[in-house]
Amino acid sequence: GNASLAYSPMLRDHDVISVHQLILSKDNEPDQQHRFQSFKELKIDKAGRTDSVEEAAYLLHETSSTDTSNLVVQLCGSSPQSLGEATSAVLDIYHKNCATLPFGIDLN
């Protein structure tokens, strides 16, 4: 059969908030189409590590530019306040990237 839902990798609340702040800082740039350009490539060092904020930005960029009607974005964090802020950030990021909103957000 066909898959009915797809789940994103687990994203840390503070990384999502940092990505959102980066995007908001670029909102005043004249060329809005290039707002996400810096997130299109993920740098991986020789040990296979990435910067967690860059990884979150890459994953949010890649998933928000495709069909998200069956996507559940997974967020983790240790405080209800930061999870709430990260949830709002995810919704704003998807809205700004002209994609449909994700099917759901899973909080852990």
Side-chain angles (χ1 to χ4, degrees), residues 21-29 32 34-35 38-39:
Q21 290 170 346
L22 285 170
I23 291 169
L24 290 176
S25 72
K26 295 180 180 201
D27 271 351
N28 294 327
E29 291 183 8
Q32 293 294 308
H34 292 95
R35 176 177 35 223
S38 60
F39 305 141

Side-chain angles (χ1 to χ4, degrees), residues 6-84:
Y7 292 84
S8 75
M10 187 67 66
L11 302 173
R12 293 179 193 96
D13 56 356
H14 54 85
D15 291 341
V16 171
I17 293 165
S18 295
V19 170
H20 188 239
Q21 290 170 346
L22 285 170
I23 291 169
L24 290 176
S25 72
K26 295 180 180 201
D27 271 351
N28 294 327
E29 291 183 8
D31 189 358
Q32 293 294 308
Q33 291 291 341
H34 292 95
R35 176 177 35 223
F36 288 93
Q37 284 300 105
S38 60
F39 305 141
K40 284 192 172 185
E41 289 187 28
L42 184 60
K43 298 175 189 101
I44 301 172
D45 70 13
K46 291 180 181 180
R49 296 173 299 213
T50 63
D51 177 274
S52 62
V53 173
E54 287 180 13
E55 182 176 18
Y58 173 80
L59 291 168
L60 287 167
H61 172 269
E62 287 301 307
T63 60
S64 66
S65 60
T66 59
D67 177 21
T68 58
S69 61
N70 295 328
L71 177 68
V72 176
V73 176
Q74 299 186 92
L75 296 175
C76 66
S78 58
S79 102
Q81 181 178 353
S82 64
L83 277 170

